[in-house]
Each structure stands twice: as structure tokens, then as C-alpha cells.
């Protein structure tokens, strides 16, 4: 189906500012429909969940509507959708839940490619119980994390493998199904960070082999919160610490306090916006929401690949630019450094022309250090559904001027 970027851009009021936004990996801009959904729930009749009166029913509808939408997005079950403050908070929560069953001599595998939110919670949980942490390394020359780098560390003592589906720093997409199959063969669980992945690839948690899969709607057009998806039967087997009056029903037993109903409504609207990227974007387009998501992601891939091809070619013509995003399978996210120029200074020069491309390690601390970039990292350019060819030309022109 056709990808009409002009139509799509018209749905983002923030783009009227005139900025070319390449900070999508840190959080995308938000379409009007998402803001409207948040405002509608927040300003309409609203109470705690229940069935007595419209205000309670609207809260209930916001929760159930979101679980259905997210299940469509990840190809999971609505009862397996857990809402949290952020993916980081969810990782810390589940590191505490799961490590109750760990003991000295057990092992946990983490990778140097991951965002620290899928590293430190597991390292700290392992340290508390005396479990051993095994580190899987990636190749800084290619950006690749071969499945063998993870699977070679597995044994019958392994309890959990934590691995990213896509690096938020350099875009690398490891072979998660192969890693998961090997982990399951030794009885280990697989916790997949899908935060960056979901913005560019349509998840199917069963195909990936993820026991736990996290993502964050604000990375794909929605509000700021995190989500964990898992098989409801697996969640039934986990007993979190919780308040005595709190329900023991799954997934609610993992959701502490009153849910942000307005944000959940915004999350549903964001998923519907993703499903409407292809064609004319009509919400009542033919087919299930999952089918429309499949079509929209296919169109998004083609659009992003066109822009990335032009970006790669333009960067190759600029002197002194090192691009660290080199994996064969990767998202349209490029990390770069510059000979003779600090990345942070280049970021400031681009901003003078209303081009936003931040510089940092972006919490992928181990990856930045492994690349030899220390804690400073580099300048990151990430494509999002609303970026167009004009944005890319503005970025390339801005870089040429900054490096002259």
C-alpha cells in the first residue's frame, strides 16, 4: 500500500514548529489523534474502574481497549499485557519477581549491546542472591551480536537471558529466535527489550520466542509509559510482592496502584495511528487491526529504507564521518562521530538550523564503551514515520556546514 508521508505529517501538530526531528529513538512526536484520546478520557467522566455509572465504565473501557490493542501489536494475549511506568521500571519489577527463584550458582546472561535498563536490573538482582552474570559481547567492527555469542554462555545453570531485539544506539537486530531456542533448551527464560525494535519492526512475540517482551508507546507515537507482554500462563506462575487488598488476577497483580487510564487510551490511539500509516489512513479500513498493522509496517519499511539509502549515500560524501551502525540487519538508526569535531558540538550546530539530532550514549553505556566511544557516545540520527526527504536533505546540509 502507498505511504503518503505528506498526509502523515499533517497529523502531527508539533511539526508546525519547523524542526526536522531525528530524535525518534528517544521518543517520537505525537499525532493529534493521540492527544485527543488522552484529553477525552481525562476530561470526560472518569473514576476508578468498575461497572457503576459512566465514569467507572469509561475507565474500564480504557484498560480493556488498550490490552486488546497492544495484544494486536505484539501478536499476544490481552491477559498478558502489563502496564508500567516505563520499560526500566518493569525490568526492575520483574528482576525482583524472578530472582526470588534464583540462588548462588545460578547464572544470568546479559549483553554489552543492550540499553542499561536491560542490563543493570539483572546484574543487581544476580548480585543480591549470589548468582553469576555472564556477559555476551558484540563485534564493534561490524556491530553484530552473533547468536553464538549468547548461546555459548548457556548451561543448565542459566536462569535468564536478557537481550535486545534492536540496539537503541546502533540499530543492530540480533537473531532473537535462535537465541531464544537455545535458552529454552536449557530451561532458561528470555527477557527481550523491544523498545527500539517496536518502532520499526512489527513484533510477534511467539515467533521471536520471547518469554517477556517490553516496549514503550512513546517510542511509537504514544504517551510516556512502558508495557510488558508475556503468556498469561507464565504470569500466573509468578508471585510478586503486592498490597494485601490488591487483586491476584493476571495481569493486574503486576500493576501497582491506579492505572493511568488517559495514557492507556492514548496508547490505543497510537497503535491505531500505526495501523493507519498505509493507504489513506482511515481507521475503518478493511481487515483486522493486526492485518492493517502488517500492511502499515511493510509500507513504513519501504519508506524508511528509501530515506536511509539517501542518508547513507550523503554521509559517505562527507569528510571525517564515522558511522558505527554497520550490522546487516538493523533499524534506520545511525550513530556517528566526527574527526576533529565533538559530536555534542555538531548537535548544537544542527540545532541552529532547527535540525534535532542529539548526542549521548543514550543509556547504552556498555555498547558505547565497547565501541571505544567512552561515556560520551556519539551523534544519533533516527528515522520516524513522519520524516521525509526534505528532513534528510536538511540534515545532510547541516552536517556539511558543521564539518566545513
Amino acid at each position: 500500500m502507498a505511504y503518503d508521508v505528506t498526509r502523515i505529517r499533517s497529523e502531527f501538530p508539533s511539526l508546525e514548529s519547523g524542526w526536522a526531528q531525528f530524535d525518534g529513538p528517544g521518543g517520537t512526536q505525537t499525532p493529534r489523534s493521540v492527544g485527543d484520546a488522552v484529553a477525552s478520557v481525562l476530561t470526560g467522566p472518569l473514576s476508578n474502574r468498575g461497572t457503576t455509572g459512566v465514569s467507572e465504565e469509561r475507565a474500564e473501557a480504557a484498560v480493556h481497549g488498550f490490552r486488546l490493542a497492544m495484544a494486536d501489536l505484539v501478536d499476544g494475549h490481552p491477559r498478558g499485557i502489563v502496564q508500567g511506568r516505563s520499560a526500566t521500571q518493569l525490568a526492575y519489577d520483574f528482576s525482583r519477581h524472578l530472582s526470588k527463584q534464583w540462588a548462588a550458582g545460578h547464572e544470568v546472561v546479559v549483553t554489552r549491546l543492550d540499553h542499561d535498563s536491560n542490563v543493570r536490573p539483572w546484574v543487581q538482582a544476580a548480585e543480591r542472591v549470589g548468582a553469576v552474570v555472564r556477559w555476551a559481547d558484540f563485534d564493534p567492527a561490524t556491530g553484530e551480536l552473533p547468536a553464538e555469542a549468547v548461546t555459548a554462555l548457556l548451561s543448565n545453570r542459566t536462569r535468564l537471558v536478557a537481550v535486545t531485539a534492536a540496539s537503541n544506539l546502533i540499530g543492530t537486530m540480533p537473531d532473537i529466535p535462535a537465541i531464544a531456542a537455545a535458552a529454552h533448551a536449557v530451561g532458561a527464560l528470555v527477557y527481550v527489550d523491544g523498545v527500539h525494535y517496536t518502532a520499526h519492526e512489527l513484533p510477534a512475540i511467539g515467533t521471536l520466542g520471547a518469554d517477556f517482551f517490553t516496549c514503550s508507546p512513546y517510542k511509537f507515537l504514544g504517551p510516556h509509559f512502558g508495557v510488558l507482554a508475556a503468556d498469561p500462563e507464565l504470569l500466573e506462575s509468578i508471585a510478586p510482592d503486592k498490597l494485601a487488598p490488591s487483586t491476584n488476577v493476571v495481569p493486574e497483580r503486576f500493576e501497582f496502584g491506579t492505572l493511568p487510564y488517559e495514557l492507556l487510551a492514548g496508547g490505543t490511539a497510537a497503535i491505531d495511528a500505526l495501523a493507519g500509516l498505509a493507504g489513506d489512513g482511515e481507521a475503518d479500513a478493511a481487515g483486522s487491526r493486526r492485518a492493517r498493522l502488517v500492511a502499515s509496517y511493510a509500507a513504513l519499511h519501504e519508506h524508511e529504507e528509501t530515506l536511509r539509502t539517501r542518508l547513507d549515500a550523503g554521509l559517505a560524501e562527507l569528510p571525517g564521518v564515522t558511522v558505527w551502525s554497520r550490522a546487516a540487519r538493523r533499524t534506520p538508526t545511525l550513530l556517528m562521530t566526527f574527526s576533529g569535531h565533538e559530536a555534542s558540538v555538531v548537535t548544537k550546530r544542527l540545532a541552529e538550523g532547527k535540525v534535532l539530532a542529539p548526542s549521548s550514549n543514550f543509556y547504552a553505556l556498555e555498547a558505547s564503551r565497547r565501541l571505544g566511544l567512552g561515556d560520551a557516545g556519539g551523534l544519533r540520527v533516527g528515522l520516524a514515520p513522519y520524516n521525509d526527504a526534505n528532513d534528510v536533505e536538511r540534515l545532510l546540509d547541516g552536517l556539511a556546514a558543521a564539518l566545513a
Side-chain angles (χ1 to χ4, degrees):
M1 298 179 71
Y3 193 92
D4 185 352
V5 71
T6 301
R7 173 189 65 79
I8 291 168
R9 288 176 62 85
S10 72
E11 298 171 4
F12 290 81
S14 65
L15 297 183
E16 296 172 8
S17 67
W19 281 76
Q21 303 278 167
F22 289 99
D23 59 331
T28 57
Q29 302 303 297
T30 308
R32 185 177 291 103
S33 59
V34 172
D36 289 346
V38 171
S40 176
V41 169
L42 191 58
T43 61
L46 188 64
S47 304
N48 283 328
R49 296 168 65 184
T51 57
T52 305
V54 64
S55 58
E56 291 186 354
E57 292 170 350
R58 281 166 55 83
E60 199 74 41
V63 175
H64 288 296
F66 175 71
R67 296 205 205 283
L68 288 170
M70 183 55 66
D72 285 342
L73 181 66
V74 302
D75 202 22
H77 193 286
R79 288 186 59 244
I81 303 299
V82 179
Q83 187 274 341
R85 166 66 184 83
S86 64
T88 300
Q89 177 247 305
L90 286 164
Y92 267 114
D93 282 351
F94 275 81
S95 72
R96 289 188 289 268
H97 304 333
L98 297 175
S99 63
K100 289 180 180 182
Q101 306 301 317
W102 301 349
H106 288 159
E107 297 179 356
V108 176
V109 178
V110 296
T111 91
R112 297 198 187 280
L113 186 66
D114 274 77
H115 187 287
D116 210 53
S117 66
N118 203 32
V119 174
R120 217 56 53 188
W122 308 111
V123 170
Q124 292 165 350
E127 290 173 345
R128 283 195 296 271
V129 301
V132 176
V133 177
R134 301 292 187 195
W135 289 88
D137 208 353
F138 71 98
D139 183 350
T142 65
E144 299 283 5
L145 176 70
E148 295 76 17
V150 179
T151 60
L153 303 176
L154 301 176
S155 74
N156 59 10
R157 297 181 298 277
T158 308
R159 291 298 174 266
L160 182 123
V161 174
V163 60
T164 186
S167 165
N168 72 303
L169 189 68
I170 56 175
T172 301
M173 291 192 290
D175 188 348
I176 299 300
I179 292 170
H184 292 155
V186 299
L189 294 171
V190 180
Y191 194 100
V192 176
D193 175 359
V195 172
H196 184 62
Y197 179 90
T198 308
H200 303 283
E201 298 288 327
L202 182 61
I205 56 176
T207 301
L208 287 171
D211 296 297
F212 305 96
F213 181 91
T214 57
C215 60
S216 299
Y218 73 98
K219 306 289 188 176
F220 51 84
L221 314 183
H224 289 78
F225 65 97
V227 180
L228 178 142
D231 189 309
E233 291 187 9
L234 175 57
L235 294 180
E236 292 280 6
S237 71
I238 302 169
D241 293 329
K242 66 179 189 64
L243 303 181
S246 299
T247 180
N248 201 38
V249 172
V250 167
E252 281 87 347
R253 71 166 73 161
F254 300 99
E255 296 169 330
F256 307 124
T258 301
L259 290 172
Y261 307 123
E262 67 280 6
L263 298 186
L264 297 182
T268 300
I271 294 168
D272 285 335
L274 287 175
L277 289 177
D280 59 11
E282 289 298 321
D284 59 351
S288 68
R289 180 160 46 199
R290 179 69 184 183
R292 287 183 285 117
L293 284 164
V294 169
S296 286
Y297 269 80
L300 177 62
H301 282 167
E302 184 175 348
H303 174 70
E304 289 182 335
E305 185 60 27
T306 298
L307 296 184
R308 187 175 70 176
T309 298
R310 170 60 188 130
L311 185 55
D312 286 340
L315 290 174
E317 297 174 356
L318 297 177
V321 178
T322 299
V323 177
W324 299 92
S325 304
R326 302 165 178 169
R329 291 185 64 249
R330 56 186 173 90
T331 64
T333 299
L334 285 75
L335 183 76
M336 59 192 79
T337 54
F338 313 94
S339 177
H341 301 269
E342 293 291 334
S344 60
V345 174
V346 177
T347 287
K348 291 177 182 177
R349 289 291 307 278
L350 288 172
E352 293 171 3
K354 288 192 171 184
V355 175
L356 185 58
S359 294
S360 174
N361 61 55
F362 303 102
Y363 282 75
L365 189 60
E366 298 290 342
S368 182
R369 291 173 176 174
R370 184 69 181 94
L371 291 170
L373 304 179
D375 293 359
L379 183 147
R380 184 179 67 181
V381 170
L383 298 177
Y386 44 76
N387 287 125
D388 63 7
N390 182 62
D391 286 342
V392 172
E393 295 307 319
R394 289 176 61 189
L395 171 66
L396 292 172
D397 289 345
L399 286 172
L403 300 176

